[in-house]
Amino acid sequence: MSTAYKLGATCVTFNASGQVLIARRRSPDRWELPGGLVDPGESLSGAAARETLEETRVGVRVRGLVGLYQHPNRRILAAVFVATAVEGSPHPTEETREVRWADVADALSVLHPLYRPRLEDALAAENTVAMRVHDGSTMLSTLAVRPARP
Amino acid sequence: MSTAYKLGATCVTFNASGQVLIARRRSPDRWELPGGLVDPGESLSGAAARETLEETRVGVRVRGLVGLYQHPNRRILAAVFVATAVEGSPHPTEETREVRWADVADALSVLHPLYRPRLEDALAAENTVAMRVHDGSTMLSTLAVRPARP
């Protein structure tokens, strides 16, 4: 009697100044953390990086897992990752009308209520926890336990 | 182009002596950490506690999330929780032919290779990360960041 979920990934990206990458979606019009649904065969952390690049033009290196959000009614499970910006700069896209680096307090004040706790969770995390992709016998990739901030 | 996953929950339960609860499944015949699939409407941590009770007769309090395992080919996502035993004692069940408390080194040596890394991840975690259940607007339950071991 199990049930089928869609998997999502949200990315909390920091730059070298400790600012957070936020994006104002075109529809619905609201400030969010970048993210979206996992494609077939794709890893959760891969989806986090891909969606962030697609929505902000910023390339990131995902550091690790800092939270998990379950929405039983809509059957969506979203993993929250912390990431470091490695290339590009914020730029609007087809999906986003505005993208920018924000100081943490600023980000907390403008983010939609659905996303604010995800940033709070990323800030509260001292360490990431293990995130492994496997095929039943072999580990395909691993994000190990490490400090949540560089 | 998203894809549907089954959600699983694995429970790493410690007793007051720091031993780990392990179960020898009837079929396949192998030592595992208790766990199973999430029922419709059920939280991941609720599934971890329910499956542990069903498979071992030990009641647990789930402390928090310490790992996530993604199996893209079979489309299963398993969350790994740490828990504390609160009542009952290990007892075989319909699903398990043997259930016992094991010292950590003992558990690491007998666990099936699919489960050993989950225990290793639980031992490596210093803190849990946030695990939230919500309905899109309201938080229904939260497991906050806390030390991974009592």
Side-chain angles (χ1 to χ4, degrees):
Chain A
M1 202 176 64
S2 65
T3 187
Y5 271 66
K6 290 180 180 176
L7 301 188
T10 300
C11 205
V12 180
T13 303
F14 294 99
N15 65 12
S17 309
Q19 293 175 307
V20 181
L21 184 63
I22 60 174
R24 186 176 162 202
R25 186 172 292 279
R26 290 187 188 275
S27 174
D29 179 0
R30 62 189 192 189
W31 285 96
E32 298 184 353
L33 297 162
L37 294 176
V38 170
D39 284 341
E42 187 178 41
S43 70
L44 277 159
S45 61
R50 176 183 53 75
E51 290 281 351
T52 301
L53 182 64
E54 287 176 4
E55 296 178 355
T56 70
R57 302 284 186 261
V58 175
V60 304
R61 179 173 50 79
V62 175
R63 294 181 54 76
L65 180 70
V66 290
L68 199 55
Y69 275 60
Q70 182 182 4
H71 189 328
N73 292 345
R74 289 190 59 199
R75 297 194 298 279
I76 295 177
L77 188 77
V80 182
F81 294 95
V82 283
T84 305
V86 292
E87 61 182 350
S89 53
H91 203 278
T93 69
E94 282 184 19
E95 293 177 65
T96 53
R97 71 175 70 210
E98 202 174 344
V99 181
R100 63 181 173 92
W101 292 110
D103 291 338
V104 166
D106 176 19
L108 287 170
S109 81
V110 300
L111 281 174
H112 184 270
L114 200 61
Y115 288 87
R116 193 180 305 131
R118 301 182 195 202
L119 174 54
E120 290 170 340
D121 289 341
L123 295 168
E126 295 183 15
N127 292 93
T128 67
V129 296
M131 163 84 242
R132 297 181 186 260
V133 182
H134 68 106
D135 69 0
S137 55
T138 307
M139 287 299 165
L140 304 176
S141 70
T142 300
L143 289 173
V145 175
R146 58 168 63 97
R149 302 285 285 273
Chain B
M1 204 176 65
S2 66
T3 187
Y5 271 66
K6 289 181 181 175
L7 301 188
T10 300
C11 204
V12 180
T13 303
F14 295 98
N15 64 14
S17 309
Q19 293 176 306
V20 181
L21 184 63
I22 59 175
R24 186 176 162 201
R25 187 172 291 280
R26 292 187 187 276
S27 175
D29 180 359
R30 64 190 191 189
W31 285 95
E32 298 185 353
L33 297 161
L37 295 176
V38 170
D39 285 341
E42 187 179 40
S43 70
L44 276 158
S45 60
R50 176 184 52 77
E51 290 280 351
T52 301
L53 183 63
E54 288 176 4
E55 295 178 355
T56 71
R57 300 286 187 259
V58 175
V60 304
R61 179 173 50 80
V62 175
R63 292 180 56 74
L65 181 70
V66 290
L68 199 55
Y69 275 60
Q70 183 182 3
H71 189 328
N73 291 345
R74 289 190 60 200
R75 297 193 297 281
I76 296 178
L77 188 76
V80 182
F81 294 94
V82 283
T84 305
V86 292
E87 62 181 351
S89 53
H91 203 278
T93 68
E94 281 184 19
E95 295 177 63
T96 53
R97 71 175 69 210
E98 202 174 344
V99 181
R100 64 183 173 88
W101 291 109
D103 292 337
V104 166
D106 177 18
L108 287 170
S109 81
V110 301
L111 280 174
H112 184 269
L114 199 60
Y115 288 86
R116 193 179 306 131
R118 301 183 194 201
L119 175 54
E120 290 170 340
D121 289 340
L123 295 168
E126 294 183 16
N127 291 94
T128 65
V129 295
M131 162 86 242
R132 296 182 187 259
V133 182
H134 67 107
D135 69 0
S137 55
T138 307
M139 288 296 166
L140 305 176
S141 70
T142 300
L143 289 173
V145 175
R146 58 170 63 97
R149 304 284 285 272

